[in-house]
Amino acid sequence: MSRQVVRSSKFRHVFGQPAKADQCYEDVRVSQNTWDSGFCSVNPKFVALICEASGGGAFLVLPLGKTGRVDKNVPMVCGHTAPVLDIAWCPHNDNVIASGSEDCTVMVWEIPDGGLVLPLREPVVTLEGHTKRVGIVAWHPTAQNVLLSAGCDNVILVWDVGTGAAVLTLGSDVHPDTIYSVDWSRDGALICTSCRDKRFRIIEPRKGTIVAEKDRPHEGTRPVRAVFVSDGNILTTGFSRMSERQVALWDTKHLEEPLSLQELDTSSGVLLPFFDPDTNIVYLCGKGDSSIRYFEITSEAPFLHYLSMFSSKESQRGMGYMPKRGLEVNKCEIARFYKLHERRCEPIAMTVPRKSDLFQEDLYPPTAGPDAALTAEEWLGGRDAGPLLISLKDGYVPPKSRELRINRGLDTGRKKMAPEASGVPSSVRGRWEPGNQDRKMG
């Protein structure tokens, strides 16, 4: 890898620290599926990971503090009838998680505080609309109850989870082939997608229009990933014509040439990018790799600066990334990953060495909090808003469970939940959202 002249950066000496054995999650059977998702999602309350399961699809949800050996009979979320491919925690409710599966459905689940005591088979809502397996689920970053799903039918659906209805559809006229990745912009106004047709696209989902697109950001034939980074730019990972892995940074207003293009190595695993908008650091985690590379993005040439690499002995089957509000600020932790081994989940803390034990304001600017800035109706009506920011100066305490409630005033005619699981008559089809006072869902 080409090295730039040494430059000043407070993140030059970021180092990774794996958790001790008793702080890992042992004896978990991580999914053997070859789908290129992280298989893991974490938030300040729970870690969720996709497991091997007989007779359907399942994933495991554990409270963060429940480390050590996991009982082989631990209850799982097991409502799907085929393998689960992707999971994502809701950014506005730490007890709500969405899952996409090979059974062509998206399901939204509520996890009680303290974790599961019985297997969870009935979702709060089942979202049906895809005709092939669903490989990507992604919550809107600032609008409440808005969820995106992408399937192997080459269709992207945007759901209002409150009504269980697909409110926006981007059909196969937008993506003629398999969708590899989808990422929301920071304010949720745009999405960025990469596709098997060797293009990445920036799309305004409410209008269904392509704002910009780039053909062959990487010359190779293997999958490309694309994410939004600072200043609305796009970072992509892919492969060269000689199958070398690459990372590139693009100015969305001038897509003719990349701002930066770096070749990394000749490994075959797809690089999963995780971007931290608070520090402008992007972390690259390759499936099958035993390392995590990290780069700093700046507004001046050469724009993308290699910082360092965390290496370990064992390769990773997947990776989860903790939101900033779940980190230990008194230890100068700026990122934490949950690395999936074949039978284990290992937290890895990324820290910046500091002599003082006081709060480091330069490391922790105000960050996205758990409250939504918009309702689904406001966003669908054309409003945009950045995330509501919170300070981490006194640490972050997760709020108590935000209960989901059924509003009986709406009837969408869609499958919601089993009557025996909820105590609600089967004729009730309704809207759920935190704060409705009509009927509490148990």
Side-chain angles (χ1 to χ4, degrees):
M1 178 187 300
S2 61
R3 300 294 172 94
Q4 306 296 335
V5 175
V6 174
R7 50 180 282 278
S8 169
S9 171
K10 59 191 170 191
F11 302 115
R12 172 158 296 284
H13 301 292
V14 170
F15 70 97
Q17 180 67 44
K20 295 178 180 177
D22 62 345
Q23 296 300 309
C24 296
Y25 306 85
E26 304 283 353
D27 270 6
V28 291
R29 295 180 300 155
V30 176
S31 173
Q32 301 290 312
N33 201 297
T34 56
W35 185 253
D36 283 325
S37 80
F39 290 160
C40 182
S41 185
V42 294
N43 69 19
K45 285 187 179 181
F46 300 102
V47 55
L49 49 103
I50 301 173
C51 298
E52 283 292 291
S54 56
F59 60 94
L60 180 65
V61 177
L62 296 170
L64 275 191
K66 197 174 181 180
T67 55
R69 193 171 299 279
V70 177
D71 191 305
K72 65 179 180 180
N73 297 317
V74 66
M76 293 205 239
V77 182
C78 48
H80 286 286
T81 58
V84 177
L85 298 179
D86 197 20
I87 50 178
W89 287 105
C90 176
H92 309 124
N93 189 329
D94 287 341
N95 295 73
V96 172
I97 188 169
S99 57
S101 166
E102 287 189 8
D103 65 10
C104 308
T105 67
V106 177
M107 293 183 178
V108 178
W109 311 85
E110 184 184 23
I111 309 298
D113 280 341
L116 300 177
V117 294
L118 293 170
L120 185 58
R121 295 185 173 88
E122 295 297 337
V124 178
V125 59
T126 299
L127 306 175
E128 298 169 326
H130 288 285
T131 57
K132 292 186 178 179
R133 60 184 180 169
V134 181
I136 299 169
V137 288
W139 292 92
H140 192 287
T142 61
Q144 191 172 57
N145 292 349
V146 176
L147 177 67
L148 176 150
S149 62
C152 291
D153 50 8
N154 310 336
V155 171
I156 290 177
L157 296 176
V158 178
W159 307 87
D160 180 346
V161 177
T163 62
V167 290
L168 300 171
T169 302
L170 299 174
S172 52
D173 55 326
V174 179
H175 297 96
D177 212 328
T178 304
I179 300 163
Y180 286 142
S181 71
V182 182
D183 187 52
W184 289 99
S185 62
R186 186 160 165 79
D187 64 355
L190 302 171
I191 60 173
C192 172
T193 68
S194 61
C195 180
R196 195 174 182 176
D197 68 354
K198 300 183 177 63
R199 291 173 179 261
F200 77 74
R201 298 170 173 84
I202 302 167
I203 300 167
E204 214 290 12
R206 288 166 295 194
K207 297 178 181 176
T209 56
I210 298 174
V211 177
E213 63 182 324
K214 173 64 179 176
D215 187 29
R216 303 185 78 89
H218 301 274
E219 293 291 333
T221 57
R222 307 219 46 228
V224 167
R225 292 271 170 156
V227 294
F228 280 102
V229 292
S230 49
D231 301 322
N233 293 337
I234 300 290
L235 182 129
T236 59
T237 62
F239 294 80
S240 71
R241 189 171 290 163
M242 303 301 291
S243 294
E244 294 172 302
R245 290 197 296 193
Q246 296 177 323
V247 57
L249 185 66
W250 304 86
D251 180 347
T252 53
K253 298 180 181 63
H254 307 283
L255 290 173
E256 301 80 20
E257 294 293 331
L259 294 173
S260 176
L261 176 66
Q262 297 187 28
E263 294 188 345
L264 303 178
D265 56 30
T266 55
S267 296
S268 59
V270 173
L271 287 166
L272 307 179
F274 298 92
F275 176 65
D276 178 2
D278 298 338
T279 59
N280 283 331
I281 294 179
V282 64
Y283 302 86
L284 304 184
C285 309
K287 295 199 76 171
D289 287 8
S290 57
S291 62
I292 301 172
R293 289 180 175 85
Y294 31 107
F295 297 77
E296 186 174 2
I297 298 173
T298 62
S299 57
E300 299 174 353
F303 304 105
L304 188 63
H305 306 270
Y306 173 77
L307 290 174
S308 188
M309 180 167 63
F310 165 79
S311 296
S312 56
K313 293 180 180 178
E314 297 181 72
S315 60
Q316 54 228 21
R317 298 197 57 80
M319 194 70 78
Y321 179 65
M322 175 66 80
K324 188 60 67 72
R325 54 195 172 90
L327 303 181
E328 295 190 54
V329 296
N330 59 330
K331 296 183 180 178
C332 295
E333 184 183 31
I334 62 166
R336 189 190 309 152
F337 291 90
Y338 285 73
K339 174 179 173 177
L340 300 187
H341 303 250
E342 194 164 335
R343 304 276 303 186
R344 183 161 59 106
C345 176
E346 176 188 43
I348 298 170
M350 297 288 185
T351 57
V352 177
R354 291 284 170 92
K355 292 180 180 178
S356 171
D357 57 1
L358 298 176
F359 179 73
Q360 306 292 314
E361 292 193 21
D362 60 324
L363 298 183
Y364 301 104
T367 192
D371 294 315
L374 301 170
T375 64
E377 291 80 4
E378 288 171 335
W379 181 74
L380 290 167
R383 284 189 59 188
D384 292 317
L388 299 179
L389 303 180
I390 60 172
S391 170
L392 297 178
K393 186 167 186 176
D394 299 317
Y396 173 76
V397 178
K400 291 183 179 180
S401 172
R402 302 183 179 201
E403 294 164 338
L404 310 183
R405 303 184 184 257
I406 301 295
N407 183 335
R408 294 183 292 175
L410 291 172
D411 184 353
T412 64
R414 287 179 173 268
K415 176 185 175 184
K416 284 292 180 277
M417 45 188 178
E420 65 273 13
S422 63
V424 180
S426 59
S427 60
V428 174
R429 299 288 186 265
R431 177 184 187 82
W432 65 263
E433 59 183 283
N436 268 345
Q437 300 302 318
D438 282 353
R439 180 185 291 270
K440 176 181 175 182
M441 193 198 79

